[in-house]
Structure formats: structure tokens, C-alpha cells
């Protein structure tokens, strides 16, 4: 059975042979460390698995099968931030556990996982304790032998890993003491990274084709690769059910689709349109669970705002039953999508496009000459949609038109944000204005969706012999909130359509 822990650590190495002979200094008295307790020495044997072209290592992931020590078994380490990783464990077995294989599928895809490096470590362990005897951190001194084919490498590494809930500032204090004793922070982020480097097997660099540096093509391709990487990185987070992961994965897919459209005169639509449609499919499939989550939070918030006198009947239990029924299969559906051949084909197609991009003539021009026109074109599209929505009478057609305007505002925002590294403040200001319209119309659309759900809840309650009064009250409140959004739109749009915002880009 897999388990997860957050690993916050810092790795050190001796800077000179003289300091190595002296060994690790006594940390007693460093910050809150009151005692150092020797825990003995253990021998560890770890085999690291990866694809032949080292896709996991290239993204900073490590997958190993380790024997020896208290936590022998399989371990997958996913980077969170510098010095912080999530370690997901599984019981010892001969083959890669399916639970861990699934978490690296977005990187591995059709390639097999094979043993790449073997690390043999003799680990001396000490516990760093506070005045009350509580564990602050574990100090490990590893004498490492790395084996990769015929190549070998040896080194000594010192690692300090914090116990749960300990302030990371302790690592800063330890580092200061270590520096005085001739130890420095290791250049390699992990033992595997060092082993690959010292056995001449570092992960190959990814292709970065996109035209010469300083061209529109290079800028657009760099942005698309950033979003592709975000999409792939969120895959294991979605599988683990981490908060906001589905939302972030959908954002990455939408940003790629939006960039394909914004920069259709930079990169050939004949190649990007099919991938864009697959990204639309992915976002829609993943959205089933996310949209229900957002809808539930909205209704719960509105319920929390009601005085008790307006709460009649088993309202909260009815809401739980309704939510359970709607979400019972949504997570399974999302995981099935991530396990599908169609999803893997989408990732492969996206990689192929970015490795050999079908760039058009404008890609060779300076981004300062191309990006403003692309962003302003998206703005003009937004203006048409807002004007149309404002011209319609209240009702379903206007709701649909406002939803279309919201999507156009999002595209303006994404386009402007992608241009900020080149265009600076003017693009940032337009992105902020587009976001304001998007947020306003997003709240309006959420109200439209919520009213449909509340109507359904009222019908269910009536059918079960319960009072539908509270659901009617919430419906009326959502209707009033939507009307307020519509009243605010002209003023928000007046600010967004200020000619000065666009003049800075023209």
C-alpha cells in the first residue's frame, strides 16, 4: 500500500579532503539542537529506474527499489520546490508497483522503465533532538558507490532531513555550522543526479527548436513548452487527488489552446487545430469533477449566508446526497482519461509539435513587431462579443452571449500574459483588465449553472416530500447576483476598453 510524506532536506558535501578527514561537526547547540543521538549504521542497496532516455531524471523525478533500512521498498520522489520533495512509497516487490507506474505515466508513456543506476550506501544515522528529546531532524552520512554499467563513482554525502512540522530555518542554522567545518551545499539535487553526472550519463537536453533567439517563434515556443511542462507535471497531482490539481491541469491545457489561436499566424493551424481539439476534450473530461466541486462550494457558501429561519427541511443532507450521486463516478472517469491511449497520444502529438514546430514566416520576425498585433486582435474579438451581449435583452440568449464574452476575455488575458516578458507593463495592464472582465462574467456564469442545480435540488426535495423553500430562496439570491453582474459589466467594460490600454501596444 502506497504512503506519502513531505521530505524537506538539504544535502552537503565536504569541500576539501582535510575537512572530510575531520568528519561531520557536532551540531549540539546549533539552533534548537540540544543533543545528537547515534542510531548506528545501515547498508542500503538502491536501484533507480528510468526510461532509456532518462525522462524522469530530466524532470527531477527519482524512482527506486531499495533494500536495507527501516523503509525498504519502492520510493518515488516528486519535486515540489528546491530542497522539498514528496516521497511516495510502496511495498517491496520485484516489478514497479502499478500505483507508482501510474504516477510517472505522463513522462514514461510507451517507453519501458528499466534499471539505470545502482547506489550502494553505508549510512551512519544520527537523530538531532531538542531539549525535550523530540526529534528535530535526521542526520545521515553516506559513503556512496554508484554503478552504471562498467562506470563507477564514489563520494561521501551528508544529508539533514527535517522531522514533520519543524521550521526549515533549522537547515539554515545547520548549513552555517557546516560551512565553518568545511562542508558546502551539494551542487547535485539528488544522489541519482550526481551518479548520472559522474558516470557520464546526464539526461539529454530537450530539443529547443523554434528559430533563433530573439524571434517571435522562439518566444511562442518557449511559452508553449512551459505550458506543456505544467500539463505533464500536474498529471501525478491529479492522480493523487491533490487540491487544485485538476484546475491547474485544465488551465495549462487552455493556455496552450489559446496560444495556438492567438499565434495562428506564427505556427501553422493545420498542425495545431487537431491538437487543440484534443486539449478541449481533455479539459472537458477533467472538468466533470472540478465543476461539481466548484458548484458544491458555491451552494454551501450561499447556505452559510442564510439565517436559520430560512432553512427548512433536511437541506444539508439533501445537498450531500445530491453531490455524492453526481460525483460518484467523476474521479474514476478522470483517472480513466489519464490512463487512456488517447491521452498519451495527445501528449506525444504535443511533444512532436514542439520538437519540430511548423513555423510560419512571421515566426522569424522580432516579437516586438508581432505580439502586439496578435494581442490586439484578441481584444477586438472580445469587444465584438461584449457589445453583442450588452445589446441583448435579459434571458437565455444573453446568458449564452455573456458566457462567450467570458471565454474571449480569458483569451485576451492569456494572450497578454504570454506577451509580458516582451511587452512589459502595457501587456500586464491589459491582462489585468481582461482578468477583471473574465472574473465578473465567470461569476455570472457560475450563477447560471447554480440556478440550474438549485432547480434540480428543489425538484428532488419536492419528490421526497421535503420543503423546497430554501432552494427557492437560494435560486432567487443567485438570480439577484447575476443581475448585479450584468449591471456592473458596462462600467468594467468601460475601463477595459479604455483606448489608453491599447495605445501602449499599438
Amino acid at each position: 500500500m502506497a504512503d506519502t510524506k513531505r521530505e524537506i532536506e538539504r544535502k552537503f558535501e565536504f569541500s576539501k579532503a582535510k575537512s572530510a578527514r575531520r568528519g561531520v561537526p557536532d551540531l549540539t547547540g546549533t539552533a534548537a539542537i540540544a543533543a545528537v543521538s547515534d542510531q548506528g549504521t545501515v547498508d542500503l542497496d538502491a536501484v533507480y529506474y528510468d526510461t532509456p532516455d532518462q525522462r524522469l531524471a530530466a524532470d527531477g523525478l527519482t524512482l527506486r527499489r531499495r533494500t536495507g533500512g527501516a523503509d525498504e521498498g519502492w520510493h518515488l520522489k516528486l519535486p515540489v520546490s528546491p530542497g522539498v520533495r514528496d516521497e511516495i512509497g510502496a511495498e517491496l516487490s520485484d516489478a514497479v508497483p502499478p500505483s507508482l507506474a501510474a504516477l510517472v505515466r505522463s513522462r514514461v508513456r510507451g517507453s519501458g522503465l528499466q534499471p539505470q543506476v545502482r547506489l550502494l550506501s553505508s549510512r551512519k544515522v544520527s537523530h538531532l533532538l531538542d531539549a525535550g528529546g523530540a526529534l528535530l531532524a535526521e542526520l545521515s552520512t553516506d559513503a556512496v558507490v554508484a554503478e552504471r554499467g562498467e562506470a563507477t563513482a564514489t563520494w561521501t554525502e551528508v544529508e539533514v532531513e527535517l522531522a514533520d512540522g519543524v521550521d526549515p530555518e533549522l537547515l539554515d542554522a545547520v548549513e552555517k555550522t557546516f560551512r565553518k567545518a568545511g562542508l558546502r551545499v551539494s551542487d547535485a539535487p539528488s544522489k541519482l543526479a550526481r551518479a548520472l553526472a559522474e558516470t557520464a550519463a546526464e539526461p539529454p537536453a530537450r530539443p529547443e527548436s523554434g528559430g533563433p533567439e530573439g524571434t517571435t517563434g522562439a518566444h511562442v515556443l518557449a511559452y508553449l513548452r512551459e505550458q506543456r511542462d505544467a500539463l505533464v507535471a500536474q498529471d501525478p497531482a491529479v492522480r493523487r487527488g491533490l487540491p487544485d490539481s485538476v484546475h491547474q491541469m485544465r488551465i495549462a491545457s487552455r493556455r496552450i489552446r489559446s496560444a495556438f489561436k492567438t499565434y495562428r499566424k506564427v505556427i501553422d493551424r493545420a498542425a495545431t487545430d487537431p491538437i487543440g481539439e484534443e486539449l478541449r476534450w481533455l479539459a472537458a473530461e477533467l472538468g466533470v469533477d472540478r465543476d461539481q466541486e466548484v458548484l458544491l462550494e458555491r451552494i454551501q457558501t450561499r447556505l452559510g449566508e442564510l439565517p436559520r429561519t430560512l432553512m427548512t427541511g433536511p437541506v444539508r443532507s439533501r445537498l450531500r446526497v445530491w453531490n455524492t450521486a453526481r460525483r460518484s463516478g467523476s474521479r474514476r472517469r478522470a483517472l480513466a482519461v489519464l490512463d487512456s491511449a488517447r491521452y498519451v497520444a495527445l501528449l506525444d502529438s504535443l511533444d512532436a509539435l514542439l520538437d519540430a514546430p511548423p513555423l510560419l514566416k512571421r515566426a522569424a520576425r522580432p516579437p516586438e513587431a508581432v505580439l502586439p498585433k496578435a494581442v490586439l486582435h484578441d481584444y477586438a474579438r472580445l469587444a465584438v462579443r461584449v457589445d453583442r451581449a450588452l445589446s441583448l435583452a435579459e434571458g437565455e440568449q444573453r446568458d449564452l452571449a455573456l458566457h462567450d464574452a467570458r471565454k474571449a476575455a480569458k483569451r485576451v488575458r492569456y494572450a497578454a500574459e504570454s506577451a509580458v516578458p516582451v511587452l512589459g507593463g502595457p501587456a500586464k495592464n491589459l491582462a489585468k483588465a481582461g482578468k477583471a472582465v473574465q472574473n465578473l462574467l465567470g461569476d455570472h456564469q457560475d450563477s447560471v449553472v447554480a440556478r440550474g442545480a438549485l432547480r434540480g435540488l428543489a425538484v428532488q426535495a419536492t419528490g421526497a416530500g421535503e420543503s423546497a423553500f430554501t432552494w427557492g430562496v437560494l435560486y432567487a439570491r443567485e438570480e439577484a447576483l447575476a443581475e448585479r453582474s450584468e449591471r456592473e459589466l458596462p462600467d468594467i467594460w468601460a475601463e477595459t476598453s479604455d483606448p489608453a490600454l491599447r495605445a501602449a501596444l499599438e
Side-chain angles (χ1 to χ4, degrees), residues 6 8 135-136 162-168:
R6 177 62 55 86
I8 303 177
L135 180 65
L136 294 172
L162 296 181
D164 292 341
V166 175
D167 192 331

Side-chain angles (χ1 to χ4, degrees), residues 78-381:
L78 300 166
V80 176
S81 60
V84 181
R85 296 187 292 181
D86 278 347
E87 181 179 284
I88 304 166
E91 293 179 357
L92 194 64
S93 61
D94 292 335
V96 178
S99 60
L100 301 187
L103 295 176
V104 297
R105 190 166 185 261
S106 62
R107 271 97 171 182
V108 174
R109 301 178 206 168
S111 298
L113 289 166
Q114 302 172 6
Q116 299 293 325
V117 177
R118 183 184 186 190
L119 296 183
L120 302 170
S121 304
S122 177
R123 168 170 291 184
K124 180 182 179 182
V125 180
S126 297
H127 285 174
L128 308 181
L129 309 174
D130 67 11
L135 180 65
L136 294 172
E138 184 172 278
L139 168 66
S140 303
T141 304
D142 294 344
V144 184
V145 178
E147 300 175 349
R148 189 176 191 277
E150 298 297 322
T152 62
T154 61
W155 69 89
T156 298
E157 179 177 284
V158 180
E159 177 183 297
V160 180
E161 181 179 343
L162 296 181
D164 292 341
V166 175
D167 192 331
E169 288 187 0
L170 177 66
L171 293 176
D172 295 331
V174 169
E175 180 181 339
K176 185 176 180 180
T177 299
F178 276 0
R179 278 202 310 267
K180 294 177 180 177
L183 286 97
R184 60 182 178 84
V185 175
S186 177
D187 293 330
S190 67
K191 288 185 178 66
L192 176 62
R194 181 163 183 174
L196 292 173
E198 297 204 9
T199 58
E202 292 185 83
R206 284 179 170 173
E208 294 293 332
S209 57
E213 186 177 351
T215 63
T216 298
H219 175 82
V220 171
L221 266 295
Y223 176 78
L224 288 172
R225 290 188 183 104
E226 178 183 340
Q227 302 309 317
R228 183 271 313 275
D229 292 347
L231 180 70
V232 170
Q234 286 300 326
D235 177 295
V238 171
R239 293 176 186 273
R240 295 167 61 196
L242 296 186
D244 206 38
S245 56
V246 170
H247 181 51
Q248 292 303 320
M249 193 171 189
R250 293 177 78 195
I251 286 176
S253 68
R254 287 168 174 164
R255 285 183 181 274
I256 296 170
R257 283 181 54 225
S258 184
F260 283 164
K261 294 174 181 177
T262 297
Y263 300 115
R264 63 197 177 284
K265 293 186 178 181
V266 175
I267 186 167
D268 192 355
R269 288 190 64 177
T272 61
D273 280 356
I275 299 176
E277 285 304 308
E278 290 301 280
L279 288 166
R280 183 198 297 273
W281 159 78
L282 176 63
E285 290 294 316
L286 293 175
V288 173
D289 192 55
R290 168 64 182 176
D291 291 345
Q292 177 63 19
E293 179 184 7
V294 171
L295 180 57
L296 175 65
E297 289 176 358
R298 186 178 182 95
I299 295 176
Q300 287 177 327
T301 298
R302 298 291 176 256
L303 276 174
E305 295 168 351
L306 287 183
R308 291 187 177 181
T309 54
L310 298 181
M311 299 275 284
T312 61
V315 175
R316 295 195 182 278
S317 61
R318 168 60 53 193
L319 184 62
R320 283 195 298 271
V321 170
W322 169 83
N323 182 61
T324 300
R326 287 171 65 99
R327 297 186 71 175
S328 60
S330 59
R331 174 155 175 79
R332 288 194 301 272
R333 179 174 174 177
L335 294 179
V337 167
L338 298 185
D339 286 335
S340 69
R342 183 175 180 179
Y343 168 65
V344 172
L346 164 59
L347 296 180
D348 285 342
S349 297
L350 189 54
D351 281 354
L353 176 84
L354 297 177
D355 290 346
L359 298 177
L360 304 176
K361 288 184 178 180
R362 292 195 186 188
R365 298 181 62 190
E368 295 84 358
V370 177
L371 268 55
K373 293 180 180 179
V375 173
L376 291 173
H377 181 275
D378 283 348
Y379 167 83
R381 176 173 170 272

Side-chain angles (χ1 to χ4, degrees), residues 446-482:
D446 288 347
S447 179
V448 171
V449 174
R451 276 179 277 159
L454 292 167
R455 189 184 301 111
L457 280 161
V459 170
Q460 290 180 14
T462 300
E466 302 164 5
S467 171
F469 174 78
T470 300
W471 305 117
V473 171
L474 293 181
Y475 185 99
R477 288 200 167 196
E478 287 291 357
E479 199 169 44
L481 288 170

